[in-house]
Amino acid sequence: MHPEINLSDYKATAVIDWLDIAVTLGRSTEFQYVQPELHRLLGLSPSEAVIHVAAQNVANKNGSATGFVFRLQEHHHENNAAKIAYIVRGLEAFFGFTAPARIAGIEVAFDLKPKPEPKSNSKAIYVANAAMQYGIAAYGEHARQFTPRGHKKGRTVPLTLDPTFHYGGTFYEGHQTDEHGYAITASAHRGYPKKTDGLDEDNKPIPLPPSQHRARMEATLQLDRPELYGLTDPLALASYDFTKLADELHFRKLRPIQAIIDREAEELKDSMRAASHAMKATGKPTPAKELEKLRRRVNSFPIRAAAIASIYRNTDRISEWSRGWKGSEGRPLQHSKDTVPDAKLNRKVRDALQTLSEKMAEGVYPPAQKKRAKAR
């Protein structure tokens, strides 16, 4: 059930999906005056592409503030460092800044697009989506997967390496926003088959042509995470090495099944030997609680081994939410113990991020004006 893909059949790319920039203005104003200036700098009308602007330290009822965060989507900045710098400097020239602009958040996306160009509902996209969701080394308390609408609506799947999720589902780890009542996390991930981009006037997803469909894994960095990678200055993106973010888009693959089972057996033997040595050294019997844990591990070892082996037999085990996950046998496989780095896929990630660095550095903005031909 763990999908194997031939990476030579895919084109790998990396982009900045969006960039949040925080600014402190020299005078108090409202977001509706900041937004038009951003549109003017990019030559946009509100109907073309609205740049989201949020006030950060509202001083009174009319919503005026000096601190603002604005979000540049990919179609705004076009992965062009010069264009981003032009926007920041233009805003500073208009309002004045009392502190340097800083990067408040960034989302970097890694895409795998089938070669040749995919057709509608290409199986290759869903296989790549599943491969990245199985392999991404992003795990935590708030990892989950949602199946597509119309297929077991509302079903979520816990983060294990078990084959219990839908190939077309969306994987989440961490929280990009607090809209569901959870605290925002410094790092968050989302993986899905990308077939739409943005929303229309009716707030409905805008379909992409089949030739642009791809499997995507996004890494969102916010709070103190950008600073951890030295990603703070929006004016210095032309010289930034985006391969530093490869750790946030790190993939792993399963060890051979026998190696996993052998490790389980050795860990169990070590625990039993330690308990025996402790009893001989102290002359006291093993505490009842510890002994019960060992008994459970001995009794459940064959079940865990069977659960791990079932992955290689393409056996699905349904897990449903009902005050806890039910139906999962044995312990979840662990990235730290049961997997090794996926060298080929990680190399693709680094190469794509290196290309992104080069594209950011090569960008020019505003475009050079074409010279008019001299009148004869």
Side-chain angles (χ1 to χ4, degrees):
M1 194 71 177
H2 283 248
E4 293 288 337
I5 60 173
N6 185 349
L7 289 172
S8 63
D9 293 336
Y10 293 85
K11 179 182 179 181
T13 55
V15 300
I16 298 175
D17 195 34
W18 54 256
L19 182 70
D20 280 353
I21 298 176
V23 296
T24 306
L25 307 184
R27 64 179 187 272
S28 182
T29 188
E30 298 169 38
F31 87 91
Q32 59 264 39
Y33 298 109
V34 178
Q35 191 178 63
E37 182 59 18
L38 289 168
H39 291 162
R40 186 192 67 77
L41 288 166
L42 289 176
L44 301 173
S45 67
S47 61
E48 287 179 306
V50 175
I51 296 177
H52 179 73
V53 180
Q56 297 302 293
N57 54 350
V58 178
N60 49 47
K61 292 182 180 180
N62 66 7
S64 64
T66 56
F68 293 87
V69 172
F70 61 92
R71 175 166 295 185
L72 298 177
Q73 301 284 352
E74 185 187 358
H75 56 264
H76 296 139
H77 61 70
E78 300 178 303
N79 299 294
N80 182 339
K83 191 172 186 180
I84 295 168
Y86 174 84
I87 296 166
V88 173
R89 290 193 176 105
L91 203 64
E92 182 178 19
F94 189 82
F95 289 102
F97 290 173
T98 60
R102 63 179 179 83
I103 294 172
I106 186 172
E107 184 169 274
V108 178
F110 173 70
D111 294 332
L112 287 177
K113 189 173 83 169
K115 297 185 296 188
E117 292 184 344
K119 297 179 180 179
S120 182
N121 286 322
S122 168
K123 180 181 177 181
I125 293 171
Y126 295 107
V127 173
N129 176 54
M132 287 202 289
Q133 290 192 26
Y134 274 119
I136 188 68
Y139 38 89
E141 183 181 355
H142 299 296
R144 64 271 186 212
Q145 197 228 37
F146 291 84
T147 57
R149 291 179 182 178
H151 179 87
K152 300 177 183 177
K153 185 176 180 181
R155 173 69 60 80
T156 60
V157 177
L159 177 65
T160 68
L161 296 182
D162 298 350
T164 53
F165 62 66
H166 189 270
Y167 268 46
T170 299
F171 163 82
Y172 293 91
E173 187 274 329
H175 294 279
Q176 187 189 106
T177 68
D178 58 1
E179 62 180 327
H180 298 299
Y182 293 102
I184 295 173
T185 54
S187 176
H189 294 81
R190 181 171 67 148
Y192 60 100
K194 186 169 179 61
K195 299 191 293 183
T196 63
D197 190 27
L199 302 174
D200 61 18
E201 295 178 354
D202 297 322
N203 210 35
K204 293 181 179 179
I206 302 172
L208 287 170
S211 62
Q212 295 182 31
H213 291 181
R214 63 262 197 199
R216 167 166 285 195
M217 182 61 69
E218 297 169 346
T220 303
L221 311 181
Q222 49 201 355
L223 301 178
D224 60 349
R225 202 71 165 192
E227 187 175 359
L228 179 67
Y229 290 100
L231 192 56
T232 56
D233 186 358
L235 300 178
L237 291 173
S239 60
Y240 187 76
D241 180 7
F242 282 88
T243 62
K244 293 178 180 179
L245 305 184
D247 286 347
E248 294 290 335
L249 289 164
H250 178 71
F251 295 91
R252 302 180 70 85
K253 60 183 180 180
L254 280 169
R255 295 178 184 274
I257 180 62
Q258 193 59 50
I260 296 174
I261 293 176
D262 289 347
R263 177 188 286 269
E264 282 278 301
E266 284 303 315
E267 289 179 353
L268 182 55
K269 288 178 184 177
D270 288 344
S271 296
M272 295 179 72
R273 289 192 194 103
S276 177
H277 290 327
M279 186 173 63
K280 290 178 181 179
T282 63
K284 297 180 181 179
T286 303
K289 286 186 178 180
E290 186 176 338
L291 190 60
E292 181 59 26
K293 286 181 181 179
L294 283 171
R295 284 173 178 160
R296 283 202 300 267
R297 288 179 64 187
V298 170
N299 292 335
S300 65
F301 174 73
I303 298 175
R304 282 206 296 273
I308 294 170
S310 73
I311 292 173
Y312 291 81
R313 294 197 301 268
N314 295 340
T315 303
D316 274 349
R317 298 189 300 286
I318 299 300
S319 296
E320 296 180 349
W321 177 255
S322 177
R323 295 187 179 180
W325 298 112
K326 294 183 178 180
S328 185
E329 305 146 350
R331 70 160 174 82
L333 292 174
Q334 299 171 9
H335 272 296
S336 59
K337 292 184 178 181
D338 303 323
T339 67
V340 293
D342 188 331
K344 291 182 179 179
L345 186 52
N346 289 332
R347 191 178 305 118
K348 284 280 188 181
V349 171
R350 292 189 68 86
D351 289 348
L353 290 171
Q354 178 60 40
T355 301
L356 173 61
S357 299
E358 294 167 1
K359 183 176 181 180
M360 290 287 285
E362 293 168 356
V364 176
Y365 201 87
Q369 296 291 326
K370 292 183 179 180
K371 291 184 179 180
R372 290 186 178 182
K374 291 182 179 180
R376 293 182 179 178

